[in-house]
Amino acid sequence: MILEATMRHSTLRQLEVFEAIARLGSFTRAAEELHLTQPTVSMQIKKLTDAVGLPLCEQVGKKMYLTDAGRALQGFTHELLDHFERFEMTLADLKGLKQGRLKIAVVTTAKYFAPRLLGPFWQQYPGIEVSLKVANREHVLERLAANEDDLYILGRPPEDLDIVAEAFLENPLVVLAPARHPLVGEQKITLERVAQEPFLVREQGSGTRAALERIFADRGLRLNVRMELGSNEAIKQAIVGGLGLSVLSRHTLTLDAPMGQFAILDVEGFPIVRHWFVVYPAGKRLSVVTSTFLDYLKEAPRYAAELPCHWG
Ligand code: PGA
């Protein structure tokens, strides 16, 4: 009971800091995520440890582990934050759409259109606080599995998670080459011919990369990878630099792309039209704000004319 009595002096903020450390396994990453300095994070954890009266984590080599007390507190913190979130949701629902929060996580390639789609929504409901997390497919799926956000936008719904997925916008994949490449201007180029060229691919865990690998595998072709790059921007720069070809979403061709320096090749079967999906865990209770945003997304094709996919 002593534990309970002293724990009551801990603040919700300290528990939030602890939850982030326990989940991310690092003080530095927790500080980054919470936009706090590392000394502040350490101070909050010290106060919490004093209140608990037992160490919460220990450092072995470079890794951080939770102690038994830390693990027990992690379970308790989850429940508490969950209750708190549900209460906030009830309040937001009672207040209607005047206020509330919307947490969305999107794959890297969706960052070219997701913020633009948010614009008209936010103009309609300016009291809603929207946070947009951008990460590659693998990380977005981790967040989905851990139920960290309200909604997720990605290029292909995962098959191994119990989710609801709705397609809301086309996602055309195109073959890009430098403007002076010999294949530019040719018509109906075969995939076999394209496969002879060196390719630039995104990092492991990228949905774009997985799609490209699948296209080649389906035709029994080997992908001649010259270089792996960690972002769509880096790939576009490398294409302009003449390092190879790539397959990217046409959404990546925003106005700030080096237009005129690369071209879309006329390859048989391309553009491959995939879709963007909005996804959430099956059985999740959606807040009024979240369901309103979902309805709004279904209107997304109406806004598509303003999106970069129409460029090129
Ligand atoms: P990526 O995902 O940005 O991780 O490549 C794109 C997609 O899922 O289509």
PDB file of all heavy atoms in Angstrom, residues 200-221:
ATOM      1  N   LEU A 200      17.383   1.685 -59.178  1.00  0.00           N
ATOM      2  CA  LEU A 200      17.575   2.323 -57.877  1.00  0.00           C
ATOM      3  C   LEU A 200      16.361   1.952 -57.038  1.00  0.00           C
ATOM      4  O   LEU A 200      15.227   2.144 -57.487  1.00  0.00           O
ATOM      5  CB  LEU A 200      17.633   3.842 -58.057  1.00  0.00           C
ATOM      6  CG  LEU A 200      18.650   4.294 -59.102  1.00  0.00           C
ATOM      7  CD1 LEU A 200      18.410   5.731 -59.512  1.00  0.00           C
ATOM      8  CD2 LEU A 200      20.063   4.107 -58.559  1.00  0.00           C
ATOM      9  N   VAL A 201      16.577   1.389 -55.863  1.00  0.00           N
ATOM     10  CA  VAL A 201      15.438   0.924 -55.064  1.00  0.00           C
ATOM     11  C   VAL A 201      15.414   1.606 -53.709  1.00  0.00           C
ATOM     12  O   VAL A 201      16.452   2.047 -53.209  1.00  0.00           O
ATOM     13  CB  VAL A 201      15.440  -0.614 -54.858  1.00  0.00           C
ATOM     14  CG1 VAL A 201      15.343  -1.326 -56.183  1.00  0.00           C
ATOM     15  CG2 VAL A 201      16.659  -1.069 -54.078  1.00  0.00           C
ATOM     16  N   ARG A 202      14.216   1.667 -53.117  1.00  0.00           N
ATOM     17  CA  ARG A 202      14.081   2.217 -51.770  1.00  0.00           C
ATOM     18  C   ARG A 202      14.610   1.217 -50.742  1.00  0.00           C
ATOM     19  O   ARG A 202      14.898   0.071 -51.054  1.00  0.00           O
ATOM     20  CB  ARG A 202      12.595   2.512 -51.500  1.00  0.00           C
ATOM     21  CG  ARG A 202      12.076   3.785 -52.166  1.00  0.00           C
ATOM     22  CD  ARG A 202      12.282   5.001 -51.271  1.00  0.00           C
ATOM     23  NE  ARG A 202      11.748   4.775 -49.948  1.00  0.00           N
ATOM     24  CZ  ARG A 202      10.471   4.964 -49.603  1.00  0.00           C
ATOM     25  NH1 ARG A 202       9.618   5.426 -50.499  1.00  0.00           N
ATOM     26  NH2 ARG A 202      10.067   4.734 -48.380  1.00  0.00           N
ATOM     27  N   GLU A 203      14.693   1.655 -49.485  1.00  0.00           N
ATOM     28  CA  GLU A 203      15.213   0.818 -48.399  1.00  0.00           C
ATOM     29  C   GLU A 203      14.286  -0.362 -48.115  1.00  0.00           C
ATOM     30  O   GLU A 203      13.105  -0.322 -48.449  1.00  0.00           O
ATOM     31  CB  GLU A 203      15.398   1.675 -47.131  1.00  0.00           C
ATOM     32  CG  GLU A 203      14.111   2.008 -46.365  1.00  0.00           C
ATOM     33  CD  GLU A 203      13.220   3.068 -47.031  1.00  0.00           C
ATOM     34  OE1 GLU A 203      13.570   3.577 -48.105  1.00  0.00           O
ATOM     35  OE2 GLU A 203      12.140   3.353 -46.469  1.00  0.00           O
ATOM     36  N   GLN A 204      14.833  -1.398 -47.449  1.00  0.00           N
ATOM     37  CA  GLN A 204      14.010  -2.525 -46.988  1.00  0.00           C
ATOM     38  C   GLN A 204      12.903  -1.976 -46.098  1.00  0.00           C
ATOM     39  O   GLN A 204      13.155  -1.056 -45.320  1.00  0.00           O
ATOM     40  CB  GLN A 204      14.850  -3.485 -46.137  1.00  0.00           C
ATOM     41  CG  GLN A 204      15.807  -4.342 -46.904  1.00  0.00           C
ATOM     42  CD  GLN A 204      15.123  -5.450 -47.687  1.00  0.00           C
ATOM     43  OE1 GLN A 204      13.906  -5.624 -47.600  1.00  0.00           O
ATOM     44  NE2 GLN A 204      15.893  -6.188 -48.464  1.00  0.00           N
ATOM     45  N   GLY A 205      11.698  -2.536 -46.212  1.00  0.00           N
ATOM     46  CA  GLY A 205      10.600  -2.049 -45.365  1.00  0.00           C
ATOM     47  C   GLY A 205       9.742  -1.030 -46.089  1.00  0.00           C
ATOM     48  O   GLY A 205       8.686  -0.659 -45.605  1.00  0.00           O
ATOM     49  N   SER A 206      10.195  -0.578 -47.284  1.00  0.00           N
ATOM     50  CA  SER A 206       9.399   0.379 -48.060  1.00  0.00           C
ATOM     51  C   SER A 206       8.350  -0.362 -48.882  1.00  0.00           C
ATOM     52  O   SER A 206       8.625  -1.407 -49.485  1.00  0.00           O
ATOM     53  CB  SER A 206      10.333   1.173 -48.986  1.00  0.00           C
ATOM     54  OG  SER A 206       9.722   1.411 -50.237  1.00  0.00           O
ATOM     55  N   GLY A 207       7.130   0.199 -48.924  1.00  0.00           N
ATOM     56  CA  GLY A 207       6.054  -0.415 -49.700  1.00  0.00           C
ATOM     57  C   GLY A 207       6.322  -0.294 -51.194  1.00  0.00           C
ATOM     58  O   GLY A 207       5.984  -1.191 -51.971  1.00  0.00           O
ATOM     59  N   THR A 208       6.934   0.814 -51.605  1.00  0.00           N
ATOM     60  CA  THR A 208       7.260   1.028 -53.017  1.00  0.00           C
ATOM     61  C   THR A 208       8.235  -0.056 -53.486  1.00  0.00           C
ATOM     62  O   THR A 208       8.079  -0.625 -54.565  1.00  0.00           O
ATOM     63  CB  THR A 208       7.922   2.415 -53.196  1.00  0.00           C
ATOM     64  OG1 THR A 208       7.088   3.394 -52.601  1.00  0.00           O
ATOM     65  CG2 THR A 208       8.151   2.735 -54.650  1.00  0.00           C
ATOM     66  N   ARG A 209       9.235  -0.321 -52.657  1.00  0.00           N
ATOM     67  CA  ARG A 209      10.222  -1.337 -53.008  1.00  0.00           C
ATOM     68  C   ARG A 209       9.556  -2.710 -53.130  1.00  0.00           C
ATOM     69  O   ARG A 209       9.805  -3.448 -54.087  1.00  0.00           O
ATOM     70  CB  ARG A 209      11.317  -1.404 -51.944  1.00  0.00           C
ATOM     71  CG  ARG A 209      12.307  -2.510 -52.226  1.00  0.00           C
ATOM     72  CD  ARG A 209      13.350  -2.571 -51.161  1.00  0.00           C
ATOM     73  NE  ARG A 209      14.276  -3.660 -51.394  1.00  0.00           N
ATOM     74  CZ  ARG A 209      15.568  -3.571 -51.143  1.00  0.00           C
ATOM     75  NH1 ARG A 209      16.071  -2.468 -50.673  1.00  0.00           N
ATOM     76  NH2 ARG A 209      16.354  -4.605 -51.357  1.00  0.00           N
ATOM     77  N   ALA A 210       8.684  -3.026 -52.176  1.00  0.00           N
ATOM     78  CA  ALA A 210       8.002  -4.323 -52.206  1.00  0.00           C
ATOM     79  C   ALA A 210       7.184  -4.442 -53.493  1.00  0.00           C
ATOM     80  O   ALA A 210       7.171  -5.504 -54.139  1.00  0.00           O
ATOM     81  CB  ALA A 210       7.111  -4.481 -50.986  1.00  0.00           C
ATOM     82  N   ALA A 211       6.522  -3.340 -53.907  1.00  0.00           N
ATOM     83  CA  ALA A 211       5.695  -3.371 -55.118  1.00  0.00           C
ATOM     84  C   ALA A 211       6.580  -3.621 -56.344  1.00  0.00           C
ATOM     85  O   ALA A 211       6.261  -4.443 -57.210  1.00  0.00           O
ATOM     86  CB  ALA A 211       4.938  -2.061 -55.267  1.00  0.00           C
ATOM     87  N   LEU A 212       7.709  -2.935 -56.404  1.00  0.00           N
ATOM     88  CA  LEU A 212       8.637  -3.093 -57.537  1.00  0.00           C
ATOM     89  C   LEU A 212       9.156  -4.540 -57.599  1.00  0.00           C
ATOM     90  O   LEU A 212       9.173  -5.166 -58.669  1.00  0.00           O
ATOM     91  CB  LEU A 212       9.796  -2.098 -57.379  1.00  0.00           C
ATOM     92  CG  LEU A 212      11.005  -2.270 -58.292  1.00  0.00           C
ATOM     93  CD1 LEU A 212      10.605  -2.118 -59.752  1.00  0.00           C
ATOM     94  CD2 LEU A 212      12.098  -1.244 -57.957  1.00  0.00           C
ATOM     95  N   GLU A 213       9.536  -5.076 -56.440  1.00  0.00           N
ATOM     96  CA  GLU A 213      10.058  -6.450 -56.420  1.00  0.00           C
ATOM     97  C   GLU A 213       8.984  -7.438 -56.880  1.00  0.00           C
ATOM     98  O   GLU A 213       9.272  -8.395 -57.600  1.00  0.00           O
ATOM     99  CB  GLU A 213      10.540  -6.801 -55.002  1.00  0.00           C
ATOM    100  CG  GLU A 213      11.836  -6.090 -54.672  1.00  0.00           C
ATOM    101  CD  GLU A 213      12.318  -6.308 -53.235  1.00  0.00           C
ATOM    102  OE1 GLU A 213      11.508  -6.753 -52.386  1.00  0.00           O
ATOM    103  OE2 GLU A 213      13.482  -6.017 -52.972  1.00  0.00           O
ATOM    104  N   ARG A 214       7.725  -7.152 -56.481  1.00  0.00           N
ATOM    105  CA  ARG A 214       6.638  -8.057 -56.868  1.00  0.00           C
ATOM    106  C   ARG A 214       6.403  -8.010 -58.381  1.00  0.00           C
ATOM    107  O   ARG A 214       6.174  -9.032 -59.024  1.00  0.00           O
ATOM    108  CB  ARG A 214       5.363  -7.728 -56.100  1.00  0.00           C
ATOM    109  CG  ARG A 214       4.441  -8.919 -55.988  1.00  0.00           C
ATOM    110  CD  ARG A 214       3.384  -8.790 -54.900  1.00  0.00           C
ATOM    111  NE  ARG A 214       3.836  -8.048 -53.752  1.00  0.00           N
ATOM    112  CZ  ARG A 214       3.411  -6.838 -53.429  1.00  0.00           C
ATOM    113  NH1 ARG A 214       2.533  -6.206 -54.177  1.00  0.00           N
ATOM    114  NH2 ARG A 214       3.856  -6.248 -52.348  1.00  0.00           N
ATOM    115  N   ILE A 215       6.457  -6.803 -58.958  1.00  0.00           N
ATOM    116  CA  ILE A 215       6.227  -6.662 -60.409  1.00  0.00           C
ATOM    117  C   ILE A 215       7.241  -7.519 -61.174  1.00  0.00           C
ATOM    118  O   ILE A 215       6.888  -8.252 -62.098  1.00  0.00           O
ATOM    119  CB  ILE A 215       6.370  -5.178 -60.838  1.00  0.00           C
ATOM    120  CG1 ILE A 215       5.264  -4.318 -60.231  1.00  0.00           C
ATOM    121  CG2 ILE A 215       6.390  -5.051 -62.365  1.00  0.00           C
ATOM    122  CD1 ILE A 215       5.539  -2.815 -60.270  1.00  0.00           C
ATOM    123  N   PHE A 216       8.498  -7.454 -60.761  1.00  0.00           N
ATOM    124  CA  PHE A 216       9.541  -8.226 -61.443  1.00  0.00           C
ATOM    125  C   PHE A 216       9.377  -9.721 -61.174  1.00  0.00           C
ATOM    126  O   PHE A 216       9.477 -10.539 -62.083  1.00  0.00           O
ATOM    127  CB  PHE A 216      10.932  -7.732 -61.015  1.00  0.00           C
ATOM    128  CG  PHE A 216      11.427  -6.589 -61.863  1.00  0.00           C
ATOM    129  CD1 PHE A 216      10.775  -5.358 -61.832  1.00  0.00           C
ATOM    130  CD2 PHE A 216      12.510  -6.737 -62.714  1.00  0.00           C
ATOM    131  CE1 PHE A 216      11.197  -4.298 -62.623  1.00  0.00           C
ATOM    132  CE2 PHE A 216      12.942  -5.686 -63.516  1.00  0.00           C
ATOM    133  CZ  PHE A 216      12.290  -4.465 -63.474  1.00  0.00           C
ATOM    134  N   ALA A 217       9.107 -10.077 -59.930  1.00  0.00           N
ATOM    135  CA  ALA A 217       8.984 -11.495 -59.573  1.00  0.00           C
ATOM    136  C   ALA A 217       7.817 -12.141 -60.332  1.00  0.00           C
ATOM    137  O   ALA A 217       7.937 -13.264 -60.837  1.00  0.00           O
ATOM    138  CB  ALA A 217       8.787 -11.645 -58.072  1.00  0.00           C
ATOM    139  N   ASP A 218       6.706 -11.404 -60.471  1.00  0.00           N
ATOM    140  CA  ASP A 218       5.530 -11.948 -61.175  1.00  0.00           C
ATOM    141  C   ASP A 218       5.870 -12.293 -62.617  1.00  0.00           C
ATOM    142  O   ASP A 218       5.268 -13.192 -63.213  1.00  0.00           O
ATOM    143  CB  ASP A 218       4.374 -10.930 -61.169  1.00  0.00           C
ATOM    144  CG  ASP A 218       3.695 -10.873 -59.814  1.00  0.00           C
ATOM    145  OD1 ASP A 218       4.024 -11.715 -58.954  1.00  0.00           O
ATOM    146  OD2 ASP A 218       2.857  -9.965 -59.609  1.00  0.00           O
ATOM    147  N   ARG A 219       6.801 -11.560 -63.208  1.00  0.00           N
ATOM    148  CA  ARG A 219       7.179 -11.839 -64.603  1.00  0.00           C
ATOM    149  C   ARG A 219       8.421 -12.724 -64.688  1.00  0.00           C
ATOM    150  O   ARG A 219       8.981 -12.911 -65.763  1.00  0.00           O
ATOM    151  CB  ARG A 219       7.443 -10.510 -65.325  1.00  0.00           C
ATOM    152  CG  ARG A 219       6.173  -9.680 -65.512  1.00  0.00           C
ATOM    153  CD  ARG A 219       5.351 -10.153 -66.709  1.00  0.00           C
ATOM    154  NE  ARG A 219       6.008  -9.777 -67.947  1.00  0.00           N
ATOM    155  CZ  ARG A 219       5.783  -8.637 -68.585  1.00  0.00           C
ATOM    156  NH1 ARG A 219       4.895  -7.796 -68.108  1.00  0.00           N
ATOM    157  NH2 ARG A 219       6.421  -8.354 -69.697  1.00  0.00           N
ATOM    158  N   GLY A 220       8.874 -13.199 -63.541  1.00  0.00           N
ATOM    159  CA  GLY A 220      10.051 -14.075 -63.510  1.00  0.00           C
ATOM    160  C   GLY A 220      11.325 -13.340 -63.899  1.00  0.00           C
ATOM    161  O   GLY A 220      12.268 -13.950 -64.410  1.00  0.00           O
ATOM    162  N   LEU A 221      11.369 -12.040 -63.649  1.00  0.00           N
ATOM    163  CA  LEU A 221      12.545 -11.250 -64.037  1.00  0.00           C
ATOM    164  C   LEU A 221      13.398 -10.913 -62.820  1.00  0.00           C
ATOM    165  O   LEU A 221      12.886 -10.767 -61.719  1.00  0.00           O
ATOM    166  CB  LEU A 221      12.106  -9.949 -64.716  1.00  0.00           C
ATOM    167  CG  LEU A 221      11.420 -10.099 -66.068  1.00  0.00           C
ATOM    168  CD1 LEU A 221      10.807  -8.770 -66.497  1.00  0.00           C
ATOM    169  CD2 LEU A 221      12.414 -10.591 -67.108  1.00  0.00           C
TER     170      LEU A 221
END
